[in-house]
Amino acid sequence: MNHLNKLFSRRIPSFTSTFFRHTKSFSQHLPTEPLSEPILTTPRHFVAVLPPIQVLDKLEELREELKKKAEGCRIKWVPRENLHIRLNFFGNELAKDSNMLKACQTLDKVLSNVVPFEIDIKELKAFPKWDKPRTLYLEVGNGRDKLKKLVKDLKTEWKEQNLTNIEESFSPHVCLGIWDDIYVKSSQGDILKVLSTKYLDLTIGTFLVTDVLLLNSELTSTTPIYSPVYLSRLNIKEPVKRRARYRSAPQFMGAGFVQQGVQNHQIQK
């Protein structure tokens, strides 16, 4: 436990001070509806890259456009504050302090050898396929291979640390919505045709990956609530003036995190 306290006391204070310094200017991006009551108290953690605000704006604009196009379809849309690129889902494995320590130390170790790189979010797709969709998502285009290499290195190290909840496959994407209907009705055929053809040649935005976050996911009756637990940075070698564009908290944090705060209950001294 002392090792965990030492690790987090080194990183979390600087993160939180930067984080809450921007809450006033960032308040316009907060959810307007009250948060739902949690239905599961067991910690569930995952690692993700979060888009900057300018990309979130475009993602939200596209999501609202898709809502209108897909009117009548039972799709559960992902709220703005939950949009992310998931790298690995640990479930409740990191509820144990020793596992949390291993996961965070591995993040620092691997990311310290990777310089920031650009990725773009593009082309709307459906999983598993358009005639039987379960998930609507946007694919990561340029920078995809670098992101997959980063995730591969992380998972290799996590396995060596005897962490077992490691997802074998990884396809970098941003989930926009999940189809509630098990079967697509015939009346939705025209809608699917529009969605599958209109948004093929699409680029939402390009941004520089400089940070990776470990987040807690709290299930509620409506939508999960995400809150940051740990932040690890890539090996930034660029001038301070340029990297400040990407490192200020409001530009890479999802909106809901300001309201939730940093969940570091397990590392209190």
Side-chain angles (χ1 to χ4, degrees), residues 251-264:
Q251 290 185 315
F252 69 77
M253 302 301 292
F257 299 149
V258 174
Q259 188 163 342
Q260 290 302 304
V262 177
Q263 304 295 306
N264 60 349

Side-chain angles (χ1 to χ4, degrees), residues 31-40 44 75-82 176-178 180 217-226 260:
T32 56
E33 298 181 0
L35 298 175
S36 302
E37 291 296 321
I39 60 174
L40 183 66
R44 300 164 71 249
I75 300 174
K76 186 176 182 180
W77 299 98
V78 178
R80 174 193 174 98
E81 60 269 20
N82 285 4
L176 292 179
I178 299 174
D180 273 353
S217 174
E218 184 178 40
L219 291 181
T220 72
S221 57
T222 55
T223 187
I225 298 172
Y226 300 153
Q260 290 302 304

Side-chain angles (χ1 to χ4, degrees), residues 1-213:
M1 187 65 176
N2 291 334
H3 294 294
L4 192 62
N5 283 334
K6 184 177 179 181
L7 175 69
F8 276 81
S9 63
R10 175 171 60 86
R11 298 189 67 87
I12 289 293
S14 60
F15 172 43
T16 53
S17 60
T18 302
F19 183 68
F20 287 106
R21 191 180 306 131
H22 297 279
T23 55
K24 184 176 180 181
S25 61
F26 199 40
S27 60
Q28 60 180 318
H29 298 279
L30 290 174
T32 56
E33 298 181 0
L35 298 175
S36 302
E37 291 296 321
I39 60 174
L40 183 66
T41 57
T42 304
R44 300 164 71 249
H45 298 96
F46 66 97
V47 175
V49 170
L50 305 183
I53 276 188
Q54 59 269 28
V55 176
L56 281 176
D57 289 341
K58 293 181 180 179
L59 286 170
E60 188 173 33
E61 182 180 339
L62 174 64
R63 187 198 62 201
E64 293 306 306
E65 182 179 337
L66 292 174
K67 276 186 180 181
K68 295 177 181 178
K69 297 285 186 183
E71 187 175 0
C73 298
R74 294 179 58 192
I75 300 174
K76 186 176 182 180
W77 299 98
V78 178
R80 174 193 174 98
E81 60 269 20
N82 285 4
L83 295 169
H84 65 278
I85 301 171
R86 190 176 82 186
L87 308 187
N88 189 69
F89 180 73
F90 281 105
N92 61 6
E93 186 174 16
L94 304 190
K96 188 176 180 181
D97 286 341
S98 59
N99 288 342
M100 176 69 77
L101 179 63
K102 292 175 184 177
C104 294
Q105 286 180 330
T106 297
L107 276 173
D108 285 346
K109 177 183 177 181
V110 173
L111 267 59
S112 67
N113 295 315
V114 181
V115 297
F117 56 91
E118 286 191 338
I119 63 174
D120 62 25
I121 300 174
K122 55 195 307 181
E123 194 176 343
L124 181 69
K125 290 192 173 183
F127 177 85
K129 52 186 178 181
W130 275 110
D131 57 349
K132 292 183 179 180
R134 294 296 296 147
T135 304
L136 289 178
Y137 68 93
L138 287 165
E139 189 176 58
V140 172
N142 295 327
R144 180 183 183 87
D145 290 341
K146 290 184 178 180
L147 191 56
K148 293 182 74 171
K149 173 65 166 57
L150 170 61
V151 172
K152 180 181 179 181
D153 292 344
L154 282 170
K155 291 181 177 180
T156 298
E157 290 288 337
W158 281 327
K159 288 179 180 179
E160 290 181 0
Q161 294 293 331
N162 295 319
L163 295 176
T164 57
N165 282 2
I166 307 299
E167 297 172 316
E168 293 300 327
S169 61
F170 172 65
S171 179
H173 67 278
V174 177
C175 178
L176 292 179
I178 299 174
W179 222 275
D180 273 353
D181 288 331
I182 297 178
Y183 301 104
V184 178
K185 300 175 183 178
S186 58
S187 59
Q188 299 174 358
D190 291 339
I191 295 174
L192 291 176
K193 186 176 181 180
V194 170
L195 296 182
S196 62
T197 56
K198 181 177 180 180
Y199 301 97
L200 286 177
D201 188 16
L202 178 71
T203 299
I204 292 296
T206 301
F207 66 95
L208 194 68
V209 176
T210 60
D211 310 274
V212 174
L213 276 89

